[in-house]
Amino acid sequence: MPRPTATLSPLLRADGSASYTCPSTGCLIMGSVNGPIELPGRRDAQKPEEATLDVLVKPGTAQAGVGEKYVEGILKGLLGRLLLGRETGFPRRGIVMTLVVSGGENGGKVRRGESYLPILPALLHTLLLALLSAAIPMSMTYTATAVAVTSTGEIKGDPSVRDAASAVSFHVLAFSSKGHLLLSQSEGSFDLDLWEQVYEHAYATCRGSQPVTADGDISMIEDASGYNLESFVRKTVEDQIHHDYSWMNNDA
Amino acid sequence: MASPSILLPGDDVLLDLRSTTSTPLKVGAGLRLLHESATSTPPSYTVTAIHAGLLSTDNKRNAISVLSFANHRYIATINDLVIAQIHHSSLDYLHCIVTPHTPYALLGQLAFEGATKKTRPVLKPGDLVYARVLSVGVGAGTEVELVCVNPATGKAEPGGLGPLVGGMVFDVSVGFAARLMRASSTSAPGDTDVIILDELGKKLEHKGGFEVAVGRNGKVWIDCSSNKDIAVQATIAIGRCLTETDTCNLDPIEQRKLVSRTLRAARIDP
């Protein structure tokens, strides 16, 4: 299984930033987070008790359109449950998150009418890492994965854009670090039994261990080293912390 | 501790919270206290991280906090020392910029040492002040108020509060500003990891020295005007040393090397 790569805080002037390469679709996503800031000329968007979230998704070489607005809505809905927008300094301010998609097939452009779901997990991971880098208070972290079901009924993790186009049904699931299902977006035709299988596959990819199923059988999808997406996020953060705090005496 | 513990948001802090000492546990930045169950007696608590970062424990003060990535935005906290820039002036207040793209902080026209209605410092837009955060307001989204004087005594305490005249401001990360502050507050030498200012002070002492003010909002003000010949070079050299220490996470040995290299390049200390 090809693994994603990520860099934390590549941008110096932003409060927090991250870049992320998705191995299956090949897209490179750069995310930056600024907050808490005053949204200029947006008195109407201010919420008196909590922070306003503003997510912007930009395709590499085109203007943002309806597809981007739709995916921004999905991201905003998910983050609204995780960000602690009532901490000191955050009410009545805004958190502005910008994601730029580049690289991959079609030069990072999701063409008009095409689905954003194949790169949604990559967008979610970039956003999470950028938020961590900006030290925005969050109640927990999350991981996300895409699953395609082929015409033969095979469940395929980490589908490429081509797999997604030929799939009978396509699913994106996100799990919090405590195991809650945070997001389930599906396309195509499927029944509930199939969705259960997809859920188990996605859970194993994101969190490693399987949820206990009714019939008690557990199939191992994680590879021998115990790698899963949650450990990837943790490893990325730990590496950056070790780098940033390299000046600190080890005995301190 | 053997290995530094790195936390992600949502991770519980595994510490024995029923401390044996009499000082109560202080929960600092990046952590929050959650009730495990309100009904049980005695009520049980967990401490959960809300930032990603390194858990730092201070046994003497019985305090814990999470050290996050250095580059994040400064959020005003009471008693922090900041460097603010005047944006405009109104009848009672000076409106100051503490961080970009945030509402102005308020600084009273008379909140200076020895200021009265007749004698008060006249500050123009763009001037700098070294100020203390007096209050961040009660409730949601209230204004940050700054002072340049201790309201109880009428003196500029701690020393150096007030307008900053001359000199130059350098932007550093919020984490590095906190490190500089910590380095200056610990008295014992060799106890800190930022020795760059001490080292620069030693090298520039016979050239007239320099003045420095560190703001928690990621700003460092430097003034070398005591020696007219090298004022500009020295200011730039000190600023370069600070920004490079910040961006490259230099340890004390590398900081010493950087100081001599930069001063040589600026032709101050052959």
Side-chain angles (χ1 to χ4, degrees):
Chain A
M1 189 170 81
R3 292 177 178 185
T5 51
T7 322
L8 274 176
S9 313
L11 305 176
L12 275 181
R13 295 285 171 195
D15 291 338
S17 54
S19 71
Y20 179 92
T21 325
C22 174
S24 51
T25 59
C27 63
L28 169 73
I29 298 173
M30 181 74 111
S32 89
V33 170
N34 283 291
I37 61 169
E38 188 171 39
L39 298 169
R42 296 274 305 275
R43 282 277 160 120
D44 55 322
Q46 284 184 358
K47 293 186 203 159
E49 291 291 330
E50 58 182 331
T52 310
L53 306 182
D54 210 354
V55 185
L56 301 163
V57 178
K58 304 262 181 210
T61 51
Q63 277 200 322
V66 181
E68 285 77 20
K69 279 275 170 273
Y70 174 67
V71 81
E72 283 167 15
I74 297 174
L75 296 172
K76 220 183 277 186
L78 190 148
L79 291 174
R81 299 185 183 100
L82 294 175
L83 297 186
L84 301 169
R86 287 162 189 258
E87 294 287 313
T88 330
F90 281 88
R92 275 178 51 195
R93 312 275 177 266
I95 302 169
V96 181
M97 300 163 253
T98 313
L99 295 165
V100 177
V101 185
S102 57
E105 292 176 38
N106 310 325
K109 210 154 52 172
V110 176
R111 275 184 302 224
R112 191 150 296 228
E114 268 184 8
S115 165
Y116 248 96
L117 287 191
I119 62 161
L120 185 55
L123 292 173
L124 283 165
H125 287 149
T126 318
L127 206 46
L128 172 70
L129 292 170
L131 284 165
L132 293 178
S133 152
I136 303 289
M138 297 174 82
S139 56
M140 53 191 93
T141 59
Y142 59 83
T143 46
T145 191
V147 178
V149 181
T150 61
S151 51
T152 57
E154 189 198 345
I155 291 177
K156 201 161 190 293
D158 293 319
S160 66
V161 177
R162 203 158 297 145
D163 291 336
S166 64
V168 176
S169 70
F170 193 84
H171 312 262
V172 174
L173 290 93
F175 297 92
S176 78
S177 56
K178 310 223 158 138
H180 315 114
L181 178 66
L182 282 175
L183 175 81
S184 167
Q185 291 280 330
S186 303
E187 260 178 14
S189 64
F190 57 96
D191 56 21
L192 207 55
D193 291 340
L194 189 63
W195 189 85
E196 292 282 355
Q197 290 175 37
V198 166
Y199 172 82
E200 277 161 34
H201 184 102
Y203 192 93
T205 321
C206 287
R207 308 203 65 229
S209 55
Q210 286 277 25
V212 180
T213 54
D215 52 348
D217 66 326
I218 289 170
S219 61
M220 298 301 284
I221 298 169
E222 60 181 305
D223 54 30
S225 58
Y227 175 86
N228 56 51
L229 287 170
E230 218 160 79
S231 66
F232 157 74
V233 170
R234 193 168 287 272
K235 187 83 178 56
T236 310
V237 171
E238 282 180 1
D239 285 352
Q240 187 66 30
I241 289 278
H242 278 300
H243 175 258
D244 278 14
Y245 286 90
S246 55
W247 45 267
M248 202 176 241
N249 294 332
N250 286 325
D251 53 298
Chain B
M1 63 191 144
S3 68
S5 54
I6 292 167
L7 298 171
L8 285 182
D11 290 356
D12 290 339
V13 178
L14 303 169
L15 274 182
D16 190 13
L17 298 179
R18 287 157 312 208
S19 53
T20 48
T21 54
S22 55
T23 39
L25 182 79
K26 285 197 188 77
V27 179
L31 292 165
R32 63 173 180 170
L33 194 67
L34 293 177
H35 284 270
E36 189 91 303
S37 55
T39 50
S40 70
T41 47
S44 57
Y45 301 99
T46 49
V47 175
T48 310
I50 56 173
H51 293 164
L54 193 67
L55 181 71
S56 100
T57 50
D58 185 343
N59 291 328
K60 217 177 286 167
R61 287 174 54 236
N62 200 16
I64 50 173
S65 62
V66 170
L67 303 175
S68 191
F69 297 105
N71 220 7
H72 62 88
R73 182 167 287 262
Y74 171 74
I75 294 171
T77 318
I78 291 176
N79 279 337
D80 277 355
L81 297 172
V82 295
I83 293 175
Q85 188 176 27
I86 310 291
H87 183 267
H88 64 272
S89 166
S90 67
L91 193 65
D92 290 331
Y93 291 106
L94 296 159
H95 301 254
C96 317
I97 304 168
V98 177
T99 48
H101 306 299
T102 49
Y104 305 121
L106 299 176
L107 170 64
Q109 294 273 18
L110 300 180
F112 294 90
E113 190 179 25
T116 61
K117 277 200 172 153
K118 284 182 183 139
T119 60
R120 58 180 175 84
V122 178
L123 292 164
K124 294 186 297 301
D127 285 352
L128 297 166
V129 286
Y130 195 39
R132 190 171 66 87
V133 178
L134 178 72
S135 72
V136 292
V138 181
T142 38
E143 275 105 354
V144 173
E145 191 173 355
L146 309 174
V147 280
C148 290
V149 68
N150 183 344
T153 58
K155 296 259 169 56
E157 290 172 330
L161 291 190
L164 298 172
V165 185
M168 183 165 171
V169 164
F170 291 89
D171 286 326
V172 295
S173 70
V174 172
F176 185 65
R179 271 170 77 190
L180 284 172
M181 294 291 252
R182 204 161 48 236
S184 65
S185 63
T186 48
S187 50
D191 196 28
T192 62
D193 35 59
V194 206
I195 51 139
I196 191 126
L197 287 179
D198 297 337
E199 196 66 20
L200 283 164
K202 261 182 248 162
K203 297 258 180 172
L204 293 173
E205 201 171 10
H206 61 280
K207 310 258 186 203
F210 61 93
E211 269 188 278
V212 61
V214 182
R216 281 299 291 267
N217 54 340
K219 306 224 181 284
V220 180
W221 172 84
I222 292 156
D223 184 23
C224 280
S225 52
S226 51
N227 188 336
K228 287 278 181 286
D229 302 338
I230 57 154
V232 175
Q233 290 108 299
T235 310
I236 301 290
I238 295 164
R240 271 197 195 151
C241 284
L242 288 170
T243 40
E244 187 152 348
T245 313
D246 179 21
T247 49
C248 303
N249 304 307
L250 301 182
D251 62 23
I253 301 158
E254 290 167 320
Q255 287 172 27
R256 270 202 193 93
K257 278 186 201 151
L258 173 72
V259 167
S260 40
R261 192 171 67 234
T262 314
L263 290 186
R264 216 176 309 126
R267 296 175 191 197
I268 296 167
D269 192 45

